């Protein structure tokens, strides 16, 4: 006897746990491909169960089956055309109301549907009590509780699916989603119109077809035309009459009225099956939302929170930053005394400690920033921020939801790009990933602080703010550009989920903060350490350099002449002379260091690439710094530290002073900041882009686009600035 074949499709909202359940059911026997003609992932797997051969298909996650997005069309077409034996609707039990919209639509399509109330654990922990028997009775659908990530309920799910496939279908489909009388009348009339013209040509459930025709569903109307030939026009005309009748009655499009009625129906189900222990919380949340998502005060409050976040990050972060800074200084001066003078000592102090140290001092800022972001997320405010930003994000052709990864991008682009996973549409995801790197991450901040601090004095804060703003503006422009060219597509209407507010748990805040900061620390131990070592090595070698002058004897000469003057001087004059002498010696040492840097391997590389950066006002040292910054943007600062020979004088403004005396102009500094803001994402970000878009192509595209944009913008700033300045 050959085993009986059954096809089971998994439908459900995004994040309802479909893929998890799919994996539970199929284990490793999966086939991953794309749905024909579109780049929506298709997963299939085969399992044997109780003498059946089951083919399980993971449908794209959708909130409804109106043909607005590719995902919805793919899921609906599959159910209509491939006619799976059973459709399991994976319902997020902790979010029953939202999930039921898709559920009612599946019921209307008249496929054999089974509800899996997944996330049963979350629902329980939130105190939600769902009356599964009532739900099953109201919709005449079998209901099974599951916990996907614990692999619970899978056995029952399969059993019920098989039982449903084997049951008498006509008995199952008694209950309907009911509409108001006028609509029900129109539905029966349309059913008759289709019936008169031989229902067999349209292979779908007749009530469903009638409803879709009343809703003016483009796909169904075109299928009618295609199947019924020349009488199709007539049919559609009759249906239009019914539509017009309803439009006249309700003063609104039938599809809108019917959607409203479906929600009414769902609200009714919720009243019946959901115990009200959570109702109070929901009410409190609604009241808070009256203020926080208010049309007038919502936005200012949001801006205030963002401002407070940055304020906290930088002002509170300054204290631990200073502690770490002194700790590092202490360590290197200790090592300077403890170790014998040799190349290893230089390597340790100037390479490793200076390099990693110049970056690790930003750890407190990053911890605070990520703490704030975790706070936004865990309280539920992040969803409101997304809601508020929705209108603005639509300028780019994205949803408010894409704003979350972008906001996180201010911390670090890597977790930000990972956060774009929550976006279900592939195009939205790719677009968000491509514009996130223009959100200036915390790694770029040290560069701005140094450059703006050196060249803009009291205006540094404003300049840095403008740089951030430039990043945001360019991400909007880029978004629009890509949306209308490479990633074309309308943004599908979408239900913005507003979970109830919650008092965050310290533990989970800490975990969220730590998870993301860990990436920063890993970068420290990996890319940045290696980058610093490479930079130091290239600048320390070759060891022996033939200098253009004999610096040692020059120093000796200077000292001799000052000592000669000191013999005849008074004590007061002596100390003045001593100071002058120190300065002169220092100047010679600096120019020796500068010559050595110029003749090192690093210097030679810098000279080669200098022509590329000359038009944007950056000299060879800056060029090398930018080159190394590709590993991680923080390295720009440490490379500048090494190359501008700033380690000669141990004060905290050393690098700033060295930059000013190197002949860099403030316009050039501004151009450099712009370049650092925009040019290619760091290694870690690139690998995240590669991973999340699953494509080398987008990664390479991101490198070329951002670097080109950076150069052009920096060029405009530098040349434009010079013209205005001159
Ligand atoms: P999909 O978008 O519907 O494919 O959802 P996924 O299968 O990717 O699941 C989304 C997230 O929910 C994952 O992190 C899962 O581990 C988690 N998840 C799935 N089922 C359950 C469940 O029953 N309980 C809980 N607590 N988490 C679940
Ligand atoms: Mg999935």
């Amino acid at each position: 006897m050959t085993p009986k074949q059954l096809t089971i499709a998994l439908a459900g909202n995004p994040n309802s746990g479909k893929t998890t359940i799919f994996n539970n059911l199929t284990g490793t026997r999966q086939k991953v491909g794309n749905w024909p003609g579109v780049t929506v992932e298709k997963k299939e797997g085969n399992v044997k169960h109780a003498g059946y051969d089951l083919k399980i298909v993971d449908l794209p996650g959708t909130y409804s089956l109106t043909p607005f997005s590719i995902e919805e069309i793919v899921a609906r077409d599959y159910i209509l055309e491939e006619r799976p034996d059973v459709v399991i609707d994976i319902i997020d039990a902790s979010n029953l109301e939202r999930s039921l919209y898709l559920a009612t639509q599946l019921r209307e399509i008249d496929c054999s549907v089974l509800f899996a109330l997944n996330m049963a654990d979350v629902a329980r922990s939130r105190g939600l009590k769902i009356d599964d028997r009532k739900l099953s009775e109201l919709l005449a659908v079998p209901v099974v509780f599951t916990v996907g990530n614990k692999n619970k309920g899978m056995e029952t799910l399969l059993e019920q699916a098989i039982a449903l496939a084997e049951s008498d279908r006509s008995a199952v489909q008694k209950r309907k989603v009911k509409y108001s009388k006028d609509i029900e009348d129109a539905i029966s009339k349309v059913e008759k119109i289709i019936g008169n013209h031989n229902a067999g040509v349209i292979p779908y459930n007749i009530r469903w077809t009638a409803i879709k025709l009343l809703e003016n569903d483009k796909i169904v109307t075109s299928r009618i035309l295609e199947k019924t030939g020349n009488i199709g026009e007539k049919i559609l005309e009759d249906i239009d009459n019914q539509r017009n009748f309803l439009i006249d009655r309700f003063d609104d499009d039938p599809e809108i009225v019917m959607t409203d009625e479906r929600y009414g129906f769902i609200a009714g189900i919720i009243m019946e099956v959901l115990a009200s222990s959570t109702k109070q919380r929901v009410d409190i949340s609604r009241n808070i939302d009256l203020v926080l998502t208010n049309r007038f005060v919502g936005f200012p409050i949001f801006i205030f929170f963002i401002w407070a976040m940055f304020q906290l990050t930088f002002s509170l972060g300054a204290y631990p930053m200073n502690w770490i800074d002194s700790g590092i200084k202490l360590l290197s001066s200790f090592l300077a005394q403890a170790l014998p003078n040799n190349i290893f000592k230089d390597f340790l102090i100037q390479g490793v400690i200076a390099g990693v140290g110049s970056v690790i001092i930003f750890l407190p800022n990053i911890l605070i920033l990520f703490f704030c972001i975790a706070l936004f997320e865990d309280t539920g405010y992040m969803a409101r921020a997304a809601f508020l930003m929705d209108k603005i994000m639509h300028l780019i052709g994205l949803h408010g939801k894409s704003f979350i990864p972008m906001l996180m991008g201010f911390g670090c682009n890597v977790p930000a790009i990972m956060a774009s996973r929550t976006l279900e549409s592939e195009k939205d995801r790719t677009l968000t990933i491509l514009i996130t790197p223009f959100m200036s991450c915390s790694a770029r901040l040290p560069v701005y602080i140094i450059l703006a601090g050196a060249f803009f004095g009291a205006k540094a804060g404003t300049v840095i703010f403008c740089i951030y703003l430039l990043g945001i503006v360019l991400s909007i422009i880029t978004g629009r550009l890509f949306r209308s060219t490479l990633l074309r597509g309308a943004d599908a209407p979408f239900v913005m989920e507003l979970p109830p507010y919650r008092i965050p748990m310290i533990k989970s805040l800490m975990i969220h903060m730590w998870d993301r900061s860990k990436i920063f620390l890993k970068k420290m131990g990996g890319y940045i350490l290696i980058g610093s070592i490479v930079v130091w090595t290239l600048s320390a070698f070759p060891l022996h350099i033939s200098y253009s002058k004999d610096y040692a004897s020059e120093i000796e000469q200077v000292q001799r002449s000052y000592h000669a003057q000191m013999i005849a001087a008074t004590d007061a004059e002596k100390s003045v002379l001593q100071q002058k002498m120190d300065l002169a010696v220092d100047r010679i040492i600096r120019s020796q260091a500068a010559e050595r840097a110029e003749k090192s391997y690093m210097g030679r590389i810098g000279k080669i690439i200098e022509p590329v950066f000359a038009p944007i006002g950056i000299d060879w040292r800056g060029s090398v710094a930018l080159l190394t910054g590709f590993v991680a943007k923080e390295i720009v600062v440490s490379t500048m530290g090494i190359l501008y020979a700033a380690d000669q004088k141990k004060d905290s403004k050393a690098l700033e002073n060295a930059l000013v005396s190197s002949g860099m102009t403030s316009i050039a500094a501004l151009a450099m900041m712009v370049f650092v803001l925009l040019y290619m994402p760091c290694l870690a970000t690139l690998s995240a882009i590669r991973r999340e878009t699953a494509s080398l192509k987008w990664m390479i595209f991101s490198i070329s686009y951002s670097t080109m944009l950076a150069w052009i913008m920096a060029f405009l700033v530098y040349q434009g600035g010079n013209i205005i300045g001159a």
Side-chain angles (χ1 to χ4, degrees), residues 479-494:
R480 287 213 68 144
L481 181 71
F482 289 176
R483 189 48 123 186
S484 54
T485 52
L486 296 170
L487 294 162
R488 201 173 307 183
D491 38 2
F494 153 84

Side-chain angles (χ1 to χ4, degrees), residues 11-24 43 58-62 90-94 117-123 125 145-152 154 421-422 424:
N13 292 173
N15 284 318
S16 57
K18 269 184 305 88
T19 305
T20 311
I21 289 184
F22 175 80
N23 289 340
N24 290 345
K43 281 190 177 165
D58 190 14
L59 295 177
T62 63
I90 314 278
I91 287 177
D92 176 354
S94 64
L117 288 179
N118 194 38
M119 311 260 178
D121 55 333
V122 184
S125 73
F145 279 110
T146 58
V147 183
N149 57 347
K150 299 258 163 63
N151 206 356
K152 277 192 196 148
M154 299 301 131
R421 268 184 211 175
T422 52
E424 273 284 312

Side-chain angles (χ1 to χ4, degrees), residues 17 87 95 105 148 157 180-181 186 210 216 430 437 627 668:
V87 177
N95 231 319
Q105 294 210 318
L157 195 60
S180 58
K181 181 155 183 317
N216 202 14
T430 310
L627 190 70

Side-chain angles (χ1 to χ4, degrees), residues 35-36 38 40 59-60 69-79:
W35 294 88
V38 290
V40 177
L59 295 177
S69 70
I70 300 181
E71 286 78 10
E72 289 169 342
I73 295 172
V74 166
R76 194 174 96 173
D77 276 357
Y78 184 82
I79 295 168

